[in-house]
Amino acid sequence: MGSHSSEVRDGMRIDWDVPIPMDDGVVLRADVYRPVAEGRHPVIMTHGPYAKGLAFQEGYPGMWGPLSTKYPDVTAGSSNRYQNWETVDPEKWVPEGYACVRVDSRGAGRSPGLLDIFSPRETEDYRACIEWAGTRPWSSGKVGLLGISYYAVNQWQVAALRPPHLAAICPWEGASDLYREFARHGGILNTFTSVWYPAQVASVQHGVGERGARNPNTGEFVAGPGTRLEPELAALRTDAPAELLSRPLDEAYYRERSPELEKITVPVLSATNWAHHLHTRGGFEGYARVGSADKWLEVHGLEHFAEFYTDYGVALQKRFFGHFLKGEDTGWDLQPPVQLNVRHVDGAFERRPEREWPLARTRWTELQLNAGALTMGEEAAREEASADFDAAGDGLTFTTEPFPEDAEITGPAAARLHIASTTTDADLFLTLRVLDPDGADVTFVSGLDPAGVVGAGWLRASHRATDPERSLPHRPWHTHDRPQPLTPGEVVALDVEIWPTSVVVPAGHRVALTVTGRDFELPGDGPWPSTYGVPMKGHGIFLHNDPDDRPSEVFAGTTTLVSGPAHPSHLLLPFVPRNARPAG
């Protein structure tokens, strides 16, 4: 099965490139960090395509620099020699008696085979790796999963297969529905994969070899051994961006890559971010739908990766896994089912325990849209009105009156819009905004944008069909199983999901809803920060501008929004009384 090595360094026993055979003969490779002393230890595992040997500092310097500077607790107490993108730092876990296992998934890093992200084969591999780790002489037999993004998405996937040695999972900001959260927002292609896949996955495909980085701890190629020509590599990976573009409906491809959350029964700590347009929804949906008797939800803000590495996040993770993997008295039995970090406009967070999600004391409020005045409020519109907008332009913005007192909006939101189009389809982009007394946007550090919007929702009009059994007033469930083209000029009703958000709106501020036919952009001339060459103007790099998915002859027409007694268009918001907080 090839060579692997073992050494003691920095207070750990490290086994490099340990072979893990799969049932079809492919051998995956893992790095194992464990205590030097003999014994059986609970396992913290990740499995994925980002190359276990790629140093965070080298592979992602644009993220590592701000993270390590802005949050000094991230690097404190560690040599940081083993930092790896979106996985735990073993120097903070091994001293407490854990074995940390990082596995390169099939076709990535040091593991050969066909690279096919989120595929059933990859999930089966993960299950085999969990069982392998649970039966090693150095393992206690209890395996926990902990990681961000990809390493969270595939936790939901593999946990639904119920590996016997899986004891607990903590998916930290990870999608749980490949179609609705990762690939197609409201049926509209999210172009993230076309940017992310070449930069972060194909760049460390097994066989990149000498064209890629070296592991600073071993000197080995992170995506080797061996170096293949690009045509050979292309034949050994699926074309993920092309797959998503070619599959506009929620078909078997997406279903077999999205877990049946109800089958998950192990303890779950679902941690999610208020503002990540790939992962926010997945954390809430995962928490709500898993079959686990023991489940918790934590919601935070800031950058996508920040709180995973800070003392706040690490302490939460250790309390959870200490309880379920080690049987320690960590106080987790007193942990509230829901822990929120409610956002304030000055960038501060209000940490608050809750009993449920959505909050039972929510005052669900319909703000009626007036297309004539471009206002919204609780009073129903008395007359019919309409407003046209260029689908390729700035759209329409509806605003409330200034709030007379502070008001909290925390929870999922939705809108019912009555629209018509001059073409056979229309894409709707809904942006929830808070405007200060001068009319300027209040923005937040979001998952991948230093000035993110407050909330967002999307829907392709031809995908307006909903499943009444799965839909809720605050979370319509679109089937995305058949197109329903528009008849030009004919008004139809659309129920649009707006992903969960949180903000305390101060007195004197307004709430606004902007409806556009393209990605919303914050007003102003920038300069705008960019990631992988994509300028970020409020939505990070999660854009919807593929011309093949959105041909101009269909999606660049004129859209009409209608309001009034016969066409009541409204925004449903989750107001939370500030004077009726639950006990801790």
Side-chain angles (χ1 to χ4, degrees), residues 157-212:
Q157 290 179 304
V158 74
L161 301 184
R162 300 181 181 176
H165 287 90
L166 182 60
I169 65 172
C170 180
W172 198 279
E173 297 191 33
S176 59
D177 186 316
L178 192 73
Y179 184 91
R180 290 166 181 79
E181 297 155 10
F182 190 92
R184 290 182 167 268
H185 292 145
I188 310 167
L189 181 69
N190 171 17
T191 57
F192 168 79
T193 301
S194 64
V195 176
W196 158 78
Y197 188 76
Q200 292 187 218
V201 180
S203 63
V204 289
Q205 182 182 357
H206 180 77
V208 167
E210 63 187 19
R211 294 195 300 276

Side-chain angles (χ1 to χ4, degrees), residues 240-285:
E243 291 279 7
L244 303 187
L245 174 62
S246 68
R247 301 174 189 276
L249 301 178
D250 188 11
E251 57 172 274
Y253 176 88
Y254 298 106
R255 293 299 90 220
E256 66 185 13
R257 288 166 171 76
S258 299
E260 294 184 57
L261 294 165
E262 293 77 8
K263 291 185 176 180
I264 297 175
T265 56
V266 296
V268 175
L269 169 57
S270 176
T272 195
N273 191 309
W274 291 119
H276 194 294
H277 295 160
L278 201 66
H279 299 318
T280 294
R281 182 183 187 273
F284 290 103
E285 284 291 316

Side-chain angles (χ1 to χ4, degrees), residues 85-304:
W85 177 244
E86 298 187 332
T87 69
V88 302
D89 179 358
E91 289 186 274
K92 293 191 176 183
W93 288 81
V94 171
E96 298 196 20
Y98 291 92
C100 297
V101 178
R102 294 174 179 161
V103 186
D104 279 337
S105 57
R106 183 179 295 240
R110 305 284 291 180
S111 297
L114 176 68
L115 178 57
D116 187 4
I117 60 171
F118 302 123
S119 64
R121 175 71 255 187
E122 192 176 85
T123 306
E124 287 290 342
D125 287 349
Y126 200 175
R127 173 162 63 177
C129 291
I130 291 169
E131 292 308 290
W132 175 88
T135 54
R136 295 307 93 192
W138 41 260
S139 171
S140 70
K142 291 188 175 182
V143 179
L145 309 182
L146 174 60
I148 319 176
S149 194
Y150 200 107
Y151 300 117
V153 174
N154 61 14
Q155 287 183 52
W156 296 118
Q157 290 179 304
V158 74
L161 301 184
R162 300 181 181 176
H165 287 90
L166 182 60
I169 65 172
C170 180
W172 198 279
E173 297 191 33
S176 59
D177 186 316
L178 192 73
Y179 184 91
R180 290 166 181 79
E181 297 155 10
F182 190 92
R184 290 182 167 268
H185 292 145
I188 310 167
L189 181 69
N190 171 17
T191 57
F192 168 79
T193 301
S194 64
V195 176
W196 158 78
Y197 188 76
Q200 292 187 218
V201 180
S203 63
V204 289
Q205 182 182 357
H206 180 77
V208 167
E210 63 187 19
R211 294 195 300 276
R214 288 182 182 269
N215 184 327
N217 298 300
T218 66
E220 300 285 350
F221 295 124
V222 302
T227 303
R228 292 177 179 267
L229 298 175
E230 175 53 33
E232 295 178 273
L233 293 177
L236 288 170
R237 66 175 182 260
T238 59
D239 187 344
E243 291 279 7
L244 303 187
L245 174 62
S246 68
R247 301 174 189 276
L249 301 178
D250 188 11
E251 57 172 274
Y253 176 88
Y254 298 106
R255 293 299 90 220
E256 66 185 13
R257 288 166 171 76
S258 299
E260 294 184 57
L261 294 165
E262 293 77 8
K263 291 185 176 180
I264 297 175
T265 56
V266 296
V268 175
L269 169 57
S270 176
T272 195
N273 191 309
W274 291 119
H276 194 294
H277 295 160
L278 201 66
H279 299 318
T280 294
R281 182 183 187 273
F284 290 103
E285 284 291 316
Y287 171 75
R289 290 175 48 202
V290 293
S292 307
D294 298 316
K295 62 178 182 178
W296 290 264
L297 174 68
E298 185 276 344
V299 195
H300 52 267
L302 302 178
E303 299 88 349
H304 168 45

Side-chain angles (χ1 to χ4, degrees), residues 399 402 433-442 506-510 523:
T399 58
R433 305 163 68 184
V434 172
L435 307 179
D436 70 16
D438 294 326
D441 278 274
V442 172
H509 286 54
R510 301 171 185 255

Side-chain angles (χ1 to χ4, degrees), residues 109 164 171 271 408 525 552 584:
E408 179 181 334
D525 298 322
S552 59

Side-chain angles (χ1 to χ4, degrees), residues 488-548:
E490 183 178 306
V491 176
V492 298
L494 308 179
D495 292 306
V496 186
E497 175 183 6
I498 298 174
W499 287 13
T501 188
S502 175
V503 59
V504 176
V505 183
H509 286 54
R510 301 171 185 255
V511 169
L513 176 69
T514 296
V515 182
T516 58
R518 58 165 174 80
D519 287 299
F520 170 81
E521 297 179 354
L522 288 168
D525 298 322
W528 306 107
S530 66
T531 295
Y532 298 133
V534 179
M536 298 185 290
K537 303 179 180 181
H539 285 283
I541 60 175
F542 307 110
L543 302 179
H544 310 77
N545 53 11
D546 189 295
D548 292 321

